[in-house]
Amino acid sequence: MVPRMCRLIRKHLMKNWGQRDEMISLHRSTKVLTFAIVLECLFGIRIDADTMFGVFENVLEGVMAAPINLPGTKFSSAKKARAKIQKALVDEVQKKKEAMEAGGRDEDDAMLLSNLVAALIRGEVTEDEVVDNIVLLVFAAHDTTSYAITMMFKMLANHPDCYTLLLKEHEDIAITKRREEDLTLEDVKKMEYTWQVARETMRLCPPIFGSFRKATADIEFEGFIIPKGWKVLWTAYGTHYNEEYFPDPMSFNPSRFADPVQAYAFIPFGGGPRLCAGYQLAKLNILVFMHYVVTRYDWSLVYPDEPVVMDPLPFPSKGMPIKISPKHGY
Ligand code: HEM
């Protein structure tokens, strides 16, 4: 998984960031990249990310739209886009099924698509369920990982002392590598400070503000009874901004994560049995992306005070443009 992700990220940077001074929309770039990472690194599906990304975005735009299926409405274009995705993914599923039934083996055999198609061949799932699972994971990964990465850049730009530490961590790894040599899992494990920065960013700016649960029994909480069957909204802010768990909670201090944090206090990925299924993939995506960007580019924010808006998930209102300049030797 790590070498595959390294190659994809290097390819993305080479194609979209290039080797000249440029202005990049960090949010869009990381969304396109995450999209490709989920499809390729998790499923082993290689479809044209640049074209299909726009189609997935159309579906997302329709998710919160009024359900009016008339030409020109967001809902109607979302439905058309969903049908297009269905067709592209059904083609992929059928190709894989034919290859597997013919006994063909390839480097993607261990990937999720092969596992799902194996279940399809055994009659345990339907073709629609395979496609729905792919779509679900792409959506779950999409806005969350890209928001976490963009906000990390914002935090690092505003805390140059933290950036110096993070950069040193990556330069120490890069110096042991040839230019196109992939990182290993051991290299990724050395990125401890970067993961502290990522966690501190997600503490202050959780990509998912919370979610619903249903009380399965009457619960007493701080003198109130939550009756069985009621919906409960948990939010990450409740504990993330609580000084009982995070002293001086509004300050950006990645080193607070050098020590273990109390269970269920830090919950950007949720917790318990419904913990985010993509936690490890998101972590790898964030760390490897950071490595290649900071070792290969100097960068600065175009709008250091760019506001964040919620719709319903948070995103930087101007797409967080950054100015990049390739470092000497890259
Ligand atoms: C920084 C990135 C991410 C964040 C902050 C995040 C956050 C979350 C949160 C808070 C939940 C729990 C929702 C709840 O309890 O109701 C969740 C669930 C989930 N996430 Fe993520 N996620 C991220 C990336 C990903 C990725 C990359 C994938 C897949 C490739 C993914 C797939 C899922 C799935 C399938 C669930 C549902 C798990 C279940 O209900 O058993 N997520 N995520």
Side-chain angles (χ1 to χ4, degrees):
M1 171 75 87
V2 180
R4 198 181 267 255
M5 193 177 285
C6 289
R7 289 196 287 275
L8 201 58
I9 290 177
R10 286 201 304 265
K11 193 169 118 195
H12 175 85
L13 291 177
M14 194 52 87
K15 181 171 172 210
N16 301 290
W17 292 41
Q19 288 177 294
R20 285 183 319 205
D21 290 7
E22 288 274 4
M23 185 137 85
I24 301 286
S25 164
L26 188 58
H27 194 229
R28 185 173 200 286
S29 183
T30 49
K31 280 215 268 186
V32 175
L33 177 64
T34 305
F35 179 79
I37 284 178
V38 174
L39 287 178
E40 199 166 326
C41 298
L42 203 58
F43 287 100
I45 298 177
R46 289 178 192 79
I47 55 179
D48 177 12
D50 289 331
T51 315
M52 282 314 282
F53 169 77
V55 183
F56 269 80
E57 288 274 290
N58 278 349
V59 177
L60 274 178
E61 280 166 18
V63 169
M64 302 300 279
I68 302 167
N69 195 10
L70 290 174
T73 60
K74 279 190 176 174
F75 185 73
S76 149
S77 36
K79 275 184 84 78
K80 282 193 198 123
R82 182 63 176 82
K84 215 167 167 179
I85 292 169
Q86 183 79 15
K87 182 172 177 332
L89 291 178
V90 164
D91 286 351
E92 290 295 321
V93 170
Q94 283 174 353
K95 260 194 281 166
K96 177 58 77 182
K97 187 165 171 264
E98 280 162 23
M100 287 172 74
E101 282 173 338
R105 300 197 63 78
D106 63 29
E107 54 165 336
D108 293 334
D109 277 352
M111 312 296 283
L112 208 44
L113 182 63
S114 302
N115 288 301
L116 286 169
V117 171
L120 175 68
I121 292 169
R122 292 194 299 270
E124 292 164 6
V125 290
T126 64
E127 196 171 72
D128 279 351
E129 282 170 335
V130 174
V131 170
D132 283 351
N133 273 289
I134 301 170
V135 172
L136 169 85
L137 290 193
V138 170
F139 283 140
H142 199 55
D143 288 318
T144 47
T145 316
S146 55
Y147 182 67
I149 294 176
T150 43
M151 295 318 279
M152 269 177 90
F153 275 78
K154 181 166 179 157
M155 293 299 172
L156 289 166
N158 293 336
H159 298 86
D161 47 333
C162 298
Y163 189 58
T164 306
L165 288 175
L166 181 140
L167 184 57
K168 168 94 177 53
E169 184 166 84
H170 291 281
E171 283 174 345
D172 286 350
I173 295 168
I175 212 156
T176 65
K177 303 262 149 202
R178 294 187 312 277
R179 182 178 152 72
E180 295 301 316
E181 187 180 339
D182 296 328
L183 296 168
T184 62
L185 192 55
E186 289 314 308
D187 295 320
V188 176
K189 284 184 188 157
K190 290 182 194 148
M191 300 178 187
E192 282 181 17
Y193 184 70
T194 310
W195 189 233
Q196 287 172 22
V197 171
R199 278 180 288 170
E200 180 67 339
T201 302
M202 286 186 272
R203 182 184 69 79
L204 286 166
C205 316
I208 303 275
F209 69 91
S211 178
F212 287 100
R213 290 288 181 277
K214 194 167 159 187
T216 52
D218 289 354
I219 303 165
E220 195 191 330
F221 181 70
E222 298 195 343
F224 293 94
I225 298 289
I226 302 171
K228 178 180 173 184
W230 274 36
K231 280 263 171 87
V232 180
L233 173 70
W234 64 263
T235 74
Y237 297 104
T239 47
H240 288 193
Y241 287 9
N242 186 332
E243 61 188 350
E244 200 181 317
Y245 309 115
F246 300 103
D248 192 8
M250 299 321 286
S251 71
F252 181 75
N253 174 17
S255 317
R256 69 169 91 237
F257 283 98
D259 297 320
V261 175
Q262 175 160 338
Y264 296 107
F266 177 65
I267 46 170
F269 293 97
R274 308 314 300 225
L275 179 76
C276 173
Y279 170 77
Q280 291 295 346
L281 185 76
K283 180 175 178 183
L284 208 54
N285 183 349
I286 291 169
L287 295 177
V288 176
F289 180 74
M290 268 293 161
H291 176 79
Y292 284 115
V293 171
V294 302
T295 53
R296 295 183 173 204
Y297 295 94
D298 290 316
W299 57 272
S300 60
L301 299 184
V302 175
Y303 305 109
D305 298 318
E306 182 175 344
V308 165
V309 287
M310 312 277 280
D311 184 27
L313 295 182
F315 66 93
S317 54
K318 296 175 194 289
M320 195 150 316
I322 56 170
K323 281 189 221 143
I324 57 160
S325 178
K327 290 190 176 185
H328 185 66
Y330 282 105

